């Protein structure tokens, strides 16, 4: 059943464009519990590095981003918004480009950049996650 919006399309678009992530708390907390489980230490949050990585390991120069599958265009999300499709597709494309540019910038500064998809935090993808965290696990 499709819900009727109480505001017009322009208003909804404006409201949605003002929504800013105030830290993807649940995904970050999930990753912290995985760090603890693997005895990974030395991480910091709230980095001012370009792109604002979710976690950094200053000693090892490792930056970790946890990317939301919808916002960053992961192929696990087969759904395309039915309204304002052009706006969302453009927004996601810009996010992907920015992710790429930020990763390149940090790599040029000798940082190891690890990008984790939100869906990879699920138990069924644990192997993929462990593979990506290998640089940290190897340092234990």
């Amino acid at each position: 059943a499709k819900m009727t919006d109480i505001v017009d399309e322009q208003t909804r678009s404006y409201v949605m464009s003002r929504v800013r992530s105030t830290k993807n708390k649940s995904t970050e907390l999930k990753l912290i519990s995985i760090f603890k489980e693997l005895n990974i230490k030395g991480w910091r949050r709230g980095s001012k590095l370009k792109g604002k990585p979710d976690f950094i390991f200053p000693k090892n120069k490792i930056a970790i981003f946890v990317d939301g599958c919808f916002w960053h265009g992961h192929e696990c999300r087969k759904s395309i918004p039915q309204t304002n499709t052009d706006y969302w597709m453009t927004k996601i494309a810009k996010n992907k480009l920015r992710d790429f540019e930020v990763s390149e910038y940090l790599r040029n500064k000798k940082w190891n950049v690890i990008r984790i998809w939100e869906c990879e935090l699920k138990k069924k993808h644990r192997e993929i996650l462990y593979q990506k965290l290998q640089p940290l696990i190897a340092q234990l």
Side-chain angles (χ1 to χ4, degrees), residues 45-73:
R45 291 168 75 183
S47 167
K48 301 285 182 254
L49 271 182
K50 184 181 177 98
K52 296 195 176 86
D54 296 300
F55 297 92
I56 60 165
F57 293 79
K59 276 192 187 119
N60 317 66
K61 283 190 92 165
I62 295 174
I64 296 185
F65 294 87
V66 182
D67 294 331
C69 294
F70 173 77
W71 296 105
H72 297 266

Short mmCIF file of all heavy atoms in Angstrom, two decimals, residues 45-73:
data_model
loop_
_atom_site.label_atom_id
_atom_site.label_comp_id
_atom_site.label_asym_id
_atom_site.label_seq_id
_atom_site.Cartn_x
_atom_site.Cartn_y
_atom_site.Cartn_z
N ARG A 45 37.69 7.65 16.39
CA ARG A 45 36.53 8.12 15.62
C ARG A 45 36.59 9.64 15.53
O ARG A 45 37.38 10.27 16.20
CB ARG A 45 35.24 7.68 16.30
CG ARG A 45 35.05 6.18 16.21
CD ARG A 45 33.95 5.71 17.11
NE ARG A 45 32.63 6.05 16.56
CZ ARG A 45 31.50 5.79 17.19
NH1 ARG A 45 31.50 5.23 18.37
NH2 ARG A 45 30.35 6.12 16.64
N GLY A 46 35.73 10.19 14.68
CA GLY A 46 35.63 11.64 14.57
C GLY A 46 36.85 12.29 13.93
O GLY A 46 37.21 13.41 14.26
N SER A 47 37.46 11.58 13.01
CA SER A 47 38.66 12.10 12.34
C SER A 47 38.33 13.30 11.46
O SER A 47 37.26 13.37 10.86
CB SER A 47 39.26 10.99 11.47
OG SER A 47 40.22 11.54 10.61
N LYS A 48 39.26 14.22 11.38
CA LYS A 48 39.08 15.40 10.53
C LYS A 48 39.75 15.18 9.17
O LYS A 48 39.83 16.09 8.36
CB LYS A 48 39.69 16.64 11.21
CG LYS A 48 39.07 16.98 12.56
CD LYS A 48 37.70 17.61 12.43
CE LYS A 48 37.10 18.00 13.76
NZ LYS A 48 36.03 17.11 14.20
N LEU A 49 40.25 13.97 8.94
CA LEU A 49 40.85 13.65 7.64
C LEU A 49 39.84 13.91 6.53
O LEU A 49 38.63 13.77 6.75
CB LEU A 49 41.23 12.17 7.57
CG LEU A 49 42.59 11.71 8.02
CD1 LEU A 49 42.72 10.20 7.81
CD2 LEU A 49 43.71 12.42 7.30
N LYS A 50 40.34 14.20 5.34
CA LYS A 50 39.46 14.41 4.19
C LYS A 50 38.52 13.21 4.05
O LYS A 50 38.94 12.07 4.14
CB LYS A 50 40.29 14.57 2.92
CG LYS A 50 39.46 14.90 1.69
CD LYS A 50 40.35 15.02 0.47
CE LYS A 50 39.50 15.27 -0.76
NZ LYS A 50 39.42 16.67 -1.13
N GLY A 51 37.23 13.48 3.86
CA GLY A 51 36.25 12.42 3.70
C GLY A 51 35.68 11.93 5.01
O GLY A 51 34.75 11.15 5.02
N LYS A 52 36.25 12.38 6.12
CA LYS A 52 35.81 11.99 7.47
C LYS A 52 35.60 10.48 7.61
O LYS A 52 34.47 10.00 7.75
CB LYS A 52 34.54 12.75 7.85
CG LYS A 52 34.74 14.24 7.96
CD LYS A 52 33.58 14.89 8.70
CE LYS A 52 33.82 16.36 8.89
NZ LYS A 52 33.39 17.18 7.76
N PRO A 53 36.70 9.71 7.59
CA PRO A 53 36.55 8.26 7.77
C PRO A 53 35.81 7.97 9.08
O PRO A 53 35.92 8.74 10.03
CB PRO A 53 37.99 7.75 7.87
CG PRO A 53 38.85 8.85 7.33
CD PRO A 53 38.09 10.12 7.49
N ASP A 54 35.07 6.86 9.12
CA ASP A 54 34.35 6.49 10.33
C ASP A 54 35.32 6.07 11.43
O ASP A 54 35.07 6.32 12.61
CB ASP A 54 33.36 5.35 10.02
CG ASP A 54 32.29 5.82 9.05
OD1 ASP A 54 31.56 6.77 9.40
OD2 ASP A 54 32.20 5.26 7.95
N PHE A 55 36.42 5.43 11.03
CA PHE A 55 37.46 5.00 11.97
C PHE A 55 38.82 5.24 11.34
O PHE A 55 38.97 5.05 10.14
CB PHE A 55 37.35 3.50 12.28
CG PHE A 55 36.06 3.11 12.95
CD1 PHE A 55 34.97 2.71 12.20
CD2 PHE A 55 35.95 3.15 14.34
CE1 PHE A 55 33.78 2.36 12.82
CE2 PHE A 55 34.77 2.79 14.96
CZ PHE A 55 33.68 2.40 14.20
N ILE A 56 39.77 5.65 12.17
CA ILE A 56 41.16 5.66 11.70
C ILE A 56 42.02 4.94 12.72
O ILE A 56 41.69 4.90 13.91
CB ILE A 56 41.72 7.09 11.45
CG1 ILE A 56 41.70 7.92 12.73
CG2 ILE A 56 41.01 7.78 10.30
CD1 ILE A 56 42.54 9.18 12.66
N PHE A 57 43.08 4.37 12.22
CA PHE A 57 44.12 3.76 13.04
C PHE A 57 45.37 4.57 12.76
O PHE A 57 46.09 4.27 11.80
CB PHE A 57 44.30 2.28 12.67
CG PHE A 57 43.11 1.43 13.02
CD1 PHE A 57 41.98 1.42 12.21
CD2 PHE A 57 43.13 0.65 14.16
CE1 PHE A 57 40.88 0.65 12.54
CE2 PHE A 57 42.03 -0.13 14.50
CZ PHE A 57 40.91 -0.13 13.69
N PRO A 58 45.59 5.65 13.55
CA PRO A 58 46.67 6.59 13.24
C PRO A 58 48.05 5.93 13.14
O PRO A 58 48.81 6.27 12.23
CB PRO A 58 46.63 7.59 14.39
CG PRO A 58 45.35 7.38 15.10
CD PRO A 58 44.87 6.00 14.76
N LYS A 59 48.35 5.00 14.03
CA LYS A 59 49.67 4.35 14.02
C LYS A 59 49.93 3.62 12.71
O LYS A 59 51.04 3.64 12.19
CB LYS A 59 49.79 3.34 15.17
CG LYS A 59 50.21 3.96 16.48
CD LYS A 59 50.60 2.85 17.47
CE LYS A 59 50.85 3.43 18.84
NZ LYS A 59 49.92 2.89 19.85
N ASN A 60 48.91 2.95 12.20
CA ASN A 60 49.06 2.14 10.99
C ASN A 60 48.65 2.88 9.72
O ASN A 60 48.72 2.31 8.64
CB ASN A 60 48.19 0.88 11.09
CG ASN A 60 48.27 0.21 12.44
OD1 ASN A 60 47.83 0.78 13.44
ND2 ASN A 60 48.83 -0.96 12.51
N LYS A 61 48.16 4.12 9.89
CA LYS A 61 47.64 4.91 8.75
C LYS A 61 46.60 4.10 7.97
O LYS A 61 46.71 3.92 6.77
CB LYS A 61 48.78 5.40 7.86
CG LYS A 61 49.52 6.60 8.46
CD LYS A 61 50.47 7.24 7.49
CE LYS A 61 49.75 8.37 6.75
NZ LYS A 61 50.66 9.28 6.05
N ILE A 62 45.60 3.62 8.70
CA ILE A 62 44.48 2.91 8.08
C ILE A 62 43.22 3.72 8.32
O ILE A 62 42.95 4.13 9.45
CB ILE A 62 44.33 1.48 8.65
CG1 ILE A 62 45.56 0.63 8.29
CG2 ILE A 62 43.04 0.82 8.13
CD1 ILE A 62 45.57 -0.75 8.92
N ALA A 63 42.48 3.98 7.25
CA ALA A 63 41.21 4.71 7.34
C ALA A 63 40.09 3.75 6.93
O ALA A 63 40.20 3.09 5.88
CB ALA A 63 41.23 5.92 6.41
N ILE A 64 39.05 3.68 7.74
CA ILE A 64 37.92 2.80 7.44
C ILE A 64 36.65 3.63 7.25
O ILE A 64 36.32 4.47 8.08
CB ILE A 64 37.70 1.75 8.56
CG1 ILE A 64 38.92 0.84 8.65
CG2 ILE A 64 36.43 0.95 8.29
CD1 ILE A 64 38.77 -0.29 9.65
N PHE A 65 35.98 3.35 6.14
CA PHE A 65 34.69 3.96 5.86
C PHE A 65 33.65 2.84 5.86
O PHE A 65 33.88 1.80 5.26
CB PHE A 65 34.67 4.62 4.48
CG PHE A 65 35.59 5.79 4.35
CD1 PHE A 65 36.92 5.62 4.00
CD2 PHE A 65 35.12 7.08 4.56
CE1 PHE A 65 37.77 6.71 3.86
CE2 PHE A 65 35.97 8.18 4.44
CZ PHE A 65 37.29 7.99 4.09
N VAL A 66 32.53 3.06 6.55
CA VAL A 66 31.41 2.13 6.45
C VAL A 66 30.38 2.85 5.59
O VAL A 66 29.82 3.86 5.99
CB VAL A 66 30.82 1.79 7.84
CG1 VAL A 66 29.68 0.79 7.68
CG2 VAL A 66 31.89 1.23 8.76
N ASP A 67 30.20 2.35 4.37
CA ASP A 67 29.32 3.00 3.41
C ASP A 67 27.94 2.37 3.41
O ASP A 67 27.80 1.15 3.27
CB ASP A 67 29.92 2.91 2.00
CG ASP A 67 31.22 3.70 1.86
OD1 ASP A 67 31.38 4.70 2.58
OD2 ASP A 67 32.06 3.32 1.02
N GLY A 68 26.91 3.21 3.56
CA GLY A 68 25.54 2.74 3.46
C GLY A 68 25.26 2.27 2.05
O GLY A 68 25.61 2.96 1.09
N CYS A 69 24.68 1.09 1.90
CA CYS A 69 24.49 0.49 0.58
C CYS A 69 23.62 1.35 -0.33
O CYS A 69 23.92 1.50 -1.51
CB CYS A 69 23.92 -0.92 0.73
SG CYS A 69 25.10 -2.04 1.54
N PHE A 70 22.57 1.95 0.20
CA PHE A 70 21.72 2.80 -0.64
C PHE A 70 22.46 4.07 -1.05
O PHE A 70 22.59 4.38 -2.22
CB PHE A 70 20.40 3.16 0.06
CG PHE A 70 19.59 4.17 -0.72
CD1 PHE A 70 18.88 3.78 -1.83
CD2 PHE A 70 19.59 5.51 -0.35
CE1 PHE A 70 18.16 4.72 -2.58
CE2 PHE A 70 18.87 6.45 -1.09
CZ PHE A 70 18.15 6.05 -2.20
N TRP A 71 22.98 4.80 -0.08
CA TRP A 71 23.57 6.12 -0.33
C TRP A 71 24.82 6.07 -1.18
O TRP A 71 25.17 7.04 -1.85
CB TRP A 71 23.90 6.81 0.99
CG TRP A 71 22.68 7.08 1.78
CD1 TRP A 71 22.27 6.40 2.88
CD2 TRP A 71 21.69 8.07 1.52
NE1 TRP A 71 21.07 6.91 3.31
CE2 TRP A 71 20.69 7.94 2.50
CE3 TRP A 71 21.56 9.05 0.55
CZ2 TRP A 71 19.57 8.75 2.53
CZ3 TRP A 71 20.44 9.87 0.59
CH2 TRP A 71 19.47 9.71 1.57
N HIS A 72 25.53 4.94 -1.14
CA HIS A 72 26.80 4.86 -1.87
C HIS A 72 26.71 3.92 -3.07
O HIS A 72 27.73 3.59 -3.67
CB HIS A 72 27.92 4.46 -0.91
CG HIS A 72 28.14 5.48 0.16
ND1 HIS A 72 29.06 6.50 0.06
CD2 HIS A 72 27.50 5.67 1.35
CE1 HIS A 72 28.99 7.26 1.15
NE2 HIS A 72 28.05 6.78 1.94
N GLY A 73 25.48 3.48 -3.40
CA GLY A 73 25.24 2.76 -4.66
C GLY A 73 25.80 1.35 -4.73
O GLY A 73 26.30 0.95 -5.78
#
